[in-house]
Amino acid sequence: MELIVVFISASIIHNFVLTYFLGLCPFVGVSNKTENALNMGMATTFVMTLTAAATWPVYHYILLRFNIPFLEYVSFIIIIAALVQLVEMYVRKSSPTLYRALGIYLPLITTNCAVLGLALFMVLRDYTYIKSIIFGFGTGVGFTIALLMMSGIREELEFADIPKHFQGIAITMIVAGMMALAFMGFAGLLH
Amino acid sequence: MADSVEKAQLPEEETQSLSYELVKGLWQDIAPFRLVLGLCPALAVTNSLLNGLSMGLATLFVLVASCTAVSIVRKLIAPQVRIAAYVVIIATIVTVTDLFLQAMTPGISKALGPYVPLIITNCIILGRLEAFSQKNPVLPSIMDSLGTGIGFTFGLVAMGFVREILGFGSIFGFTILGDWFTPWIVMILPAGAFLLMGGLIALVNYISHKQSSQGEEA
């Protein structure tokens, strides 16, 4: 039961993009086509789940054990960069079709602050191992949902008559603001 | 996006003076509004002026320190592993900054929370390292990062100012608007940050459009 709560909270109620402003660069950058958004979302979800699975043992069994928690940031970012590299190599070998679809997005995930944010929140909230993995997966699903919704809206926006100075990023931000308002409605789900 | 802009400008940039490197980050390429980089902190910690200012200064310090460091060691880093090397340099400096904030200003450190370590993934820093510091000597790199950092801080302060005065009716925590003022609660919520950011980007577009059309007439 608790795991379901963690999952729903991470994916919808406390959506990383719309409540913590994490992962905004890809949110703005690749949300112009639904297909790209879906691919990016899937790749990020995958890396996020792996990140949660890999950083938890490192933090609890290495950093805490040897009393060096100040190395937290350096070690987390190295783990994430290494994971992204590994995933890229694996996907390139095993499935060239998928690699072509994800290709350019994979390296971008390293600098996606949502991935590092996920690892930091996981430590701050003191989750257990299973919970951390569910949290990572839920965060990725939430990121994908936000990205997909935004890309759908932006495809429609291309045909809308927008004031000149609001075109492009400005209108995207305002639409995101409205989505954030709408997502606040989910806040009552958990109490 | 920033990368392609930078490449297009490169030929003339090499001949520009030091003061140009400093000034271009202040308006021409002002980070949060023009380049749309570093949005996460610009939206997340600007619910009050103080938070916005301290986040801006922390980012400024990390930016200048890492650009200086990379510019010094730029010939020693093999091109294949440069991104990883940069990230480790940035993460080290951010750790130092975070520990400093925790020790000297615990209140601010608590308010900024996980957004201090998230400076590591602020695309502005990696963007400046990749686009400028890795191929320029130390002094221009310092000027370039100083300009970008001040521009970024200015952006955060502008966001924090508007959000605090509309959301709480105060500045730096001092109430300046009287009882007649009904706070706009939405401005301190995430939604308000997005709406204000959209408005400010449009404003910057409007001003620069006006400037360029005036320039054509003159």
Side-chain angles (χ1 to χ4, degrees):
Chain A
M1 186 60 209
E2 221 175 320
L3 294 180
I4 300 173
V5 171
V6 168
F7 178 76
I8 293 182
S9 158
S11 58
I12 295 177
I13 301 167
H14 297 292
N15 188 296
F16 258 42
V17 179
L18 297 172
T19 52
Y20 295 123
F21 310 101
L22 297 172
L24 277 178
C25 296
F27 180 66
V28 174
V30 288
S31 65
N32 40 9
K33 279 206 191 104
T34 311
E35 204 192 329
N36 292 350
L38 185 64
N39 287 336
M40 180 69 176
M42 285 191 318
T44 312
T45 309
F46 189 57
V47 173
M48 278 178 168
T49 316
L50 283 181
T51 304
T55 46
W56 196 91
V58 168
Y59 184 77
H60 285 265
Y61 294 121
I62 300 180
L63 296 185
L64 282 190
R65 177 145 178 237
F66 296 105
N67 202 17
I68 42 171
F70 60 87
L71 283 181
E72 184 185 340
Y73 310 151
V74 180
S75 48
F76 280 9
I77 198 77
I78 293 174
I79 293 172
I80 293 169
L83 268 180
V84 171
Q85 197 75 54
L86 275 181
V87 169
E88 192 186 346
M89 272 151 52
Y90 176 75
V91 171
R92 193 190 308 182
K93 278 263 186 250
S94 65
S95 155
T97 342
L98 187 64
Y99 180 71
R100 267 198 299 278
L102 296 182
I104 41 171
Y105 302 122
L106 276 173
L108 284 179
I109 299 176
T110 313
T111 49
N112 184 340
C113 42
V115 181
L116 181 63
L118 154 95
L120 295 170
F121 274 112
M122 186 188 85
V123 169
L124 275 182
R125 292 180 188 169
D126 224 357
Y127 282 145
T128 59
Y129 191 51
I130 304 292
K131 259 193 201 169
S132 300
I133 295 177
I134 299 286
F135 178 63
F137 181 64
T139 306
V141 171
F143 180 75
T144 314
I145 292 175
L147 212 57
L148 268 182
M149 282 169 53
M150 196 62 190
S151 65
I153 296 174
R154 278 180 80 171
E155 283 187 350
E156 295 296 316
L157 270 181
E158 287 187 9
F159 305 105
D161 186 19
I162 304 162
K164 193 176 161 204
H165 303 294
F166 277 94
Q167 278 168 13
I169 307 292
I171 194 73
T172 310
M173 283 288 128
I174 288 172
V175 169
M178 291 173 189
M179 278 169 63
L181 274 179
F183 265 69
M184 274 167 57
F186 290 115
L189 269 179
L190 278 190
H191 275 299
Chain B
M1 194 174 78
D3 210 30
S4 61
V5 171
E6 204 57 48
K7 268 173 194 149
Q9 289 176 345
L10 201 65
E12 56 179 297
E13 213 172 68
E14 280 170 344
T15 57
Q16 299 288 359
S17 62
L18 286 180
S19 59
Y20 171 77
E21 307 299 355
L22 179 67
V23 172
K24 75 170 191 282
L26 297 183
W27 173 253
Q28 193 189 335
D29 288 336
I30 185 164
F33 303 130
R34 280 297 172 78
L35 302 178
V36 206
L37 290 176
L39 283 177
C40 315
L43 294 170
V45 297
T46 50
N47 50 2
S48 77
L49 191 51
L50 184 65
N51 288 353
L53 181 65
S54 23
M55 186 65 188
L57 292 178
T59 311
L60 174 69
F61 171 73
V62 175
L63 186 61
V64 174
S66 49
C67 281
T68 313
V70 166
S71 171
I72 291 170
V73 297
R74 70 185 190 283
K75 283 174 188 147
L76 301 176
I77 300 176
Q80 297 88 342
V81 294
R82 65 178 195 282
I83 301 283
Y86 298 163
V87 169
V88 172
I89 292 174
I90 300 171
T92 313
I93 295 168
V94 167
T95 307
V96 172
T97 316
D98 187 43
L99 292 176
F100 177 82
L101 284 179
Q102 277 177 18
M104 306 308 272
T105 53
I108 291 174
S109 167
K110 212 166 173 205
L112 296 182
Y115 291 100
V116 178
L118 283 171
I119 296 177
I120 300 172
T121 48
N122 189 331
C123 352
I124 292 178
I125 299 179
L126 209 57
R128 289 330 292 169
L129 292 182
E130 181 74 7
F132 199 91
S133 302
Q134 67 161 342
K135 44 198 173 210
N136 283 287
V138 178
L139 206 55
S141 297
I142 293 178
M143 297 309 261
D144 171 74
S145 53
L146 208 57
T148 313
I150 294 172
F152 182 72
T153 310
F154 174 75
L156 292 196
V157 167
M159 293 277 294
F161 177 75
V162 178
R163 285 182 74 188
E164 190 175 350
I165 202 159
L166 291 180
F168 295 106
S170 61
I171 287 179
F172 280 125
F174 298 109
T175 311
I176 55 158
L177 295 175
D179 293 333
W180 52 270
F181 180 74
T182 313
W184 303 12
I185 302 294
V186 71
M187 288 317 282
I188 29 179
L189 296 175
F194 281 117
L195 296 177
L196 178 66
M197 192 69 190
L200 283 178
I201 293 175
L203 183 70
V204 171
N205 283 347
Y206 173 70
I207 295 174
S208 57
H209 179 75
K210 223 174 168 184
Q211 274 178 343
S212 66
S213 61
Q214 268 173 358
E216 278 163 26
E217 282 164 24

